[in-house]
Amino acid sequence: MRRPHPRLLAPAAVLLLATACGTEHTATGGGAGATVPAPRATVTDPPVDGVRITSVTIPAASPTPSATPGSVHADRLPGDSGISAAYQVGNDGDEAMTYTVLFAFTTDTGAVMDTTEVTVPAVAPGRSTTGTVDLGTLAPGASPVTRVKVEKVSKVPAAEAPARTGACPASGVRLWADDGDAAMGLRVVGLHLENCGKRDYTLDGYPELSLLDDDREPVDGIRILHGGAAIATGTGFDGPPTPLVLKPGETALSGLIWRNTTLAGTAVNVPYVRVLAKPGAAPVMVTPDLDLGTTGKLGVGAWKRAES
């Protein structure tokens, strides 16, 4: 289950695709019922936290007979929608950053028909990179998509980016956070560790956590408590720490546990968490979007062997 509390780092850049999906016109030399394909629309909207959409494309729809002579009725193409957006990611900072961008494809009224998440690794300082995001296939009965927006941008130092796949990091382990579960105000996000190296990897205790704000600066005033039971029982992270030896290819699991209760005071949101698997380990920065409310505390489970 995806977490129900996405964080917007900046106002979303909403792009109306009027030139790309407007009224169909009868062609002047293509025969009865022919249509003029919609062109790619250039976009000049400002970037959202370094990410901007440069153009959008919505293909011409297939014509069908119309009750009005000399006109056509546009139906959505079957299968793949063909809708796409070209984007650019620019890094104006002083270190290489890895970006995770959530693109939303919406209707005129803002209803989200689909989202696509793209990770852009290691954008060097002062440099930019480009790519294309595709809508893919719309669900049956979905309303026409006419807008694209940058829904959310997260960026972490490239040297600390989580790695679920790809080349094994120099540390010999991969560490990442999952999408988590939420029920009745209780949040649980799993921290996964895989020994992708060639040597055994030992664990004995709890991950070390540093809580960071939007600017990746420390967040004060939050107690980090050992064990899921410090927040709620039955989360699966109540057990005490036990020594683990992970052979190459084996995995371990920890968890972040919190409630989003909001009472008196100011609610606290923590977008970034720097994780050390054990003292002296290479840091990894994950983005669990902790909506801690006014509780002032976060639970962390001891490392345990992951079930195969």
Side-chain angles (χ1 to χ4, degrees):
M1 177 188 302
R2 294 192 64 83
R3 295 185 298 281
H5 49 285
R7 173 181 49 85
L8 301 184
L9 299 186
V14 180
L15 310 174
L16 176 60
L17 313 185
T19 58
C21 60
T23 303
E24 296 291 338
H25 301 283
T26 303
T28 57
T35 61
V36 177
R40 171 172 292 188
T42 300
V43 176
T44 59
D45 294 61
V48 175
D49 205 22
V51 182
R52 69 184 186 96
I53 298 175
T54 57
S55 67
V56 293
T57 299
I58 294 184
S62 301
T64 58
S66 172
T68 304
S71 65
V72 295
H73 173 72
D75 289 333
R76 194 165 61 244
L77 292 171
D80 195 317
S81 69
I83 299 172
S84 64
Y87 63 85
Q88 181 183 62
V89 179
N91 181 4
D92 60 0
D94 56 6
E95 64 177 322
M97 302 294 287
T98 290
Y99 293 71
T100 300
V101 186
L102 185 67
F103 295 93
F105 297 81
T106 78
T107 66
D108 277 335
T109 61
V112 176
M113 294 295 101
D114 203 357
T115 60
T116 300
E117 186 175 87
V118 175
T119 297
V120 183
V123 181
R127 304 296 296 272
S128 64
T129 188
T130 59
T132 302
V133 58
D134 299 312
L135 172 58
T137 303
L138 278 172
S143 299
V145 167
T146 58
R147 299 173 185 264
V148 180
K149 64 179 179 179
V150 178
E151 182 78 10
K152 175 184 174 184
V153 178
S154 300
K155 57 184 182 181
V156 302
E160 299 183 29
R164 187 179 302 202
T165 59
C168 185
S171 63
V173 297
R174 308 183 203 277
L175 194 154
W176 69 93
D178 61 31
D179 289 335
D181 288 311
M184 300 295 289
L186 177 66
R187 318 291 203 213
V188 180
V189 167
L191 294 177
H192 301 258
L193 183 146
E194 177 192 1
N195 181 1
C196 57
K198 298 180 179 179
R199 301 178 179 178
D200 292 352
Y201 192 83
T202 60
L203 291 168
D204 185 9
Y206 300 86
E208 295 187 359
L209 309 178
S210 298
L211 308 187
L212 308 174
D213 63 15
D214 286 338
D215 297 320
R216 291 168 297 283
E217 296 294 333
V219 175
D220 298 323
I222 304 299
R223 293 180 296 156
I224 298 176
L225 307 175
H226 285 171
I231 306 297
T233 58
T235 64
F237 296 104
D238 300 341
T242 57
L244 297 178
V245 177
L246 299 181
K247 300 292 184 183
E250 293 184 334
T251 56
L253 179 66
S254 176
L256 306 179
I257 307 96
W258 74 98
R259 291 191 180 276
N260 71 336
T261 307
T262 300
L263 298 174
T266 302
V268 175
N269 294 301
V270 177
Y272 298 99
V273 178
R274 180 176 280 120
V275 182
L276 275 64
K278 61 182 180 180
V284 175
M285 194 177 296
V286 297
T287 56
D289 287 327
L290 308 178
D291 57 339
L292 299 173
T294 55
T295 61
K297 56 186 180 180
L298 170 69
V300 58
W303 288 114
K304 62 180 182 179
R305 194 175 300 277
E307 297 180 2
S308 58

